[in-house]
Amino acid sequence: MSKIYITDTTLRDGSHTVSHKFSPEDVKKIASSLDAAGIDIIEVGHGDGLTGSTINYGFSPYNDFELVRAAASVVKNSKLAVLLIPGIGTVEDLERAQDCGANAVRVATHVTEADVAAQHVRAAKKMGLFTVGFLMMAHMASVERVLEEAKKFESYGADIVYCTDSAGAMLPVDVRDKISTLVQNLSIPVGHHSHNNLGLAIGNSLAAIESGATYIDGSLSGLGAGSGNTSTDTLVAVMKKMNYDINADLYKTMDASTNALIPVLESKGLKTNTNLDAMILGYAGCYSSFLLHSRRAAERFNVDVRDIIIELGNRKAVGGQEDWIIEVASDLSKLKNK
Ligand SMILES: CC[C@H](O)CC(=O)C(=O)O
Ligand SMILES: [Mn+2]
């Protein structure tokens, strides 16, 4: 199985959800947690890309360069990416972003307009940036047309090309058709970016991976435009469950949501419906009604609820064996205090 690389776009696509109001301090908190979790690429900036802060797209109180600088001050291992939409951002903006610490760029165009990105991709490559061609609104073009446009990105020198479901309109069968055609006909890796508007983001991400995509986007707790993106947290859990080779750590990715993103959102009066303990039920194959009992036991024995749920899954507990929860929590606490 090929290695799968995860790009987290909480701090760029998620910026749409917070009306582009992530501050440099918010960026530091979230980017450092993503970096610690082993996320391969962290994308930062205005939701509409470099210099998107305008009356047309929505003003941000902070410019992209401050945000990139803030992220660069804490990121140690991940690549740091910006989005550049030719016509909104320029090559000069990209140079400035690089000076502030960006080392990757996703050059985004409408799915039928890769031509407009030629100079930006070539310039990015010359600057030594990891360069991604990002074809937006891919549901609007035929498989043949998506391939034609992706080939343009390849010919300009892009390192990867993305088939992006900006509208969350693609069905798994569309994702399979488009991604497998790109994988079979390009010599660069292929990526996929989903939106969850039809509740298909994680399913479509898996369809993309099974069709040969090796770069997949997510965002913490699925924060992003519309119904949000594929949740990075869930993506990591599912990929681990399927034994894919990924760099990200499951608990640390969840912690990035719980301890970094969610407090930042709460400080802005925003909430998420994220229930990561419940996600772990699915990861572990543990009875759903065990959740509340496990939370209580975690508190009583001062152990991580995720460890309880995973151990119950290992012991193959079924409904009616609620008494095991206490036993597992007690065993874990003894192990911890040994
Ligand atoms: C307007 C840029 C857009 O948000 C890029 C993107 O993430 C997408 O097309 O889905
Ligand atoms: Mn998007």
Side-chain angles (χ1 to χ4, degrees):
M1 256 192 262
S2 309
K3 184 152 194 149
I4 307 296
Y5 298 94
I6 298 176
T7 298
D8 184 278
T9 186
T10 309
L11 291 168
R12 200 282 303 163
D13 210 317
S15 171
H16 289 294
T17 313
V18 299
S19 304
H20 316 293
K21 287 190 174 51
F22 280 131
S23 69
E25 281 315 303
D26 299 336
V27 167
K28 278 188 197 171
K29 195 165 177 173
I30 295 167
S32 58
S33 308
L34 288 166
D35 183 63
I39 297 298
D40 302 287
I41 304 174
I42 301 171
E43 190 176 51
V44 176
H46 188 281
D48 296 85
L50 279 182
T51 63
S53 176
T54 55
I55 193 164
N56 204 24
Y57 302 111
F59 286 113
S60 165
Y62 312 97
N63 72 47
D64 293 288
F65 309 107
E66 291 176 80
L67 301 181
V68 172
R69 219 179 288 117
S73 72
V74 295
V75 167
K76 298 189 183 93
N77 299 308
S78 311
K79 285 195 171 71
L80 186 54
V82 290
L83 184 83
L84 174 67
I85 301 184
I88 300 180
T90 63
V91 169
E92 289 69 35
D93 295 327
L94 188 58
E95 285 166 352
R96 205 170 150 202
Q98 185 180 35
D99 290 343
C100 295
N103 50 19
V105 60
R106 305 211 290 180
V107 183
T109 72
H110 181 65
V111 65
T112 54
E113 292 173 8
D115 312 61
V116 301
Q119 58 168 313
H120 305 78
V121 171
R122 289 189 181 119
K125 287 298 296 174
K126 230 180 180 171
M127 289 159 65
L129 297 172
F130 183 73
T131 306
V132 181
F134 198 78
L135 290 168
M136 299 187 286
M137 299 291 277
H139 73 287
M140 290 183 77
S142 66
V143 174
E144 295 72 27
R145 185 63 192 268
V146 175
L147 176 61
E148 191 183 322
E149 299 295 320
K151 281 195 167 203
K152 290 180 189 165
F153 267 120
E154 182 177 47
S155 74
Y156 306 148
D159 295 299
I160 322 175
V161 71
Y162 259 68
C163 172
T164 300
D165 184 16
S166 312
M170 290 171 76
L171 303 174
V173 64
D174 305 322
V175 173
R176 257 183 224 115
D177 283 352
K178 285 177 176 154
I179 298 286
S180 58
T181 301
L182 296 184
V183 170
Q184 283 157 25
N185 292 284
L186 297 174
S187 41
I188 54 174
V190 174
H192 182 65
H193 169 109
S194 291
H195 279 268
N196 201 34
N197 304 336
L198 290 172
L200 290 171
I202 190 81
N204 281 346
S205 300
L206 284 183
I209 291 165
E210 285 165 359
S211 307
T214 47
Y215 283 79
I216 297 291
D217 281 18
S219 60
L220 292 172
S221 296
L223 191 83
S227 295
N229 298 105
T230 299
S231 149
T232 302
D233 334 38
T234 313
L235 182 65
V236 171
V238 173
M239 306 294 298
K240 296 249 179 222
K241 194 171 166 123
M242 295 175 79
N243 292 318
Y244 276 103
D245 181 11
I246 57 173
N247 290 322
D249 176 90
L250 177 58
Y251 278 15
K252 288 182 183 165
T253 304
M254 295 169 75
D255 293 343
S257 262
T258 308
N259 304 332
L261 174 68
I262 292 175
V264 163
L265 293 180
E266 283 172 354
S267 75
K268 301 183 191 313
L270 297 168
K271 282 208 169 103
T272 66
N273 292 325
T274 308
N275 186 342
L276 293 178
D277 299 342
M279 181 191 81
I280 286 291
L281 293 168
Y283 174 74
C286 183
Y287 207 68
S288 296
S289 62
F290 282 10
L291 182 58
L292 292 182
H293 301 285
S294 301
R295 281 186 173 150
R296 284 189 206 117
E299 214 175 304
R300 178 170 158 200
F301 289 93
N302 189 27
V303 291
D304 192 323
V305 66
R306 299 173 292 193
D307 291 336
I308 299 180
I309 293 171
I310 288 173
E311 183 54 21
L312 286 163
N314 289 340
R315 294 188 192 186
K316 304 211 179 312
V318 296
Q321 292 179 312
E322 275 76 352
D323 52 315
W324 283 18
I325 299 172
I326 302 290
E327 193 179 303
V328 165
S330 159
D331 289 351
L332 289 171
S333 141
K334 280 183 204 143
L335 267 178
K336 191 174 152 186
N337 299 315
K338 226 172 165 184

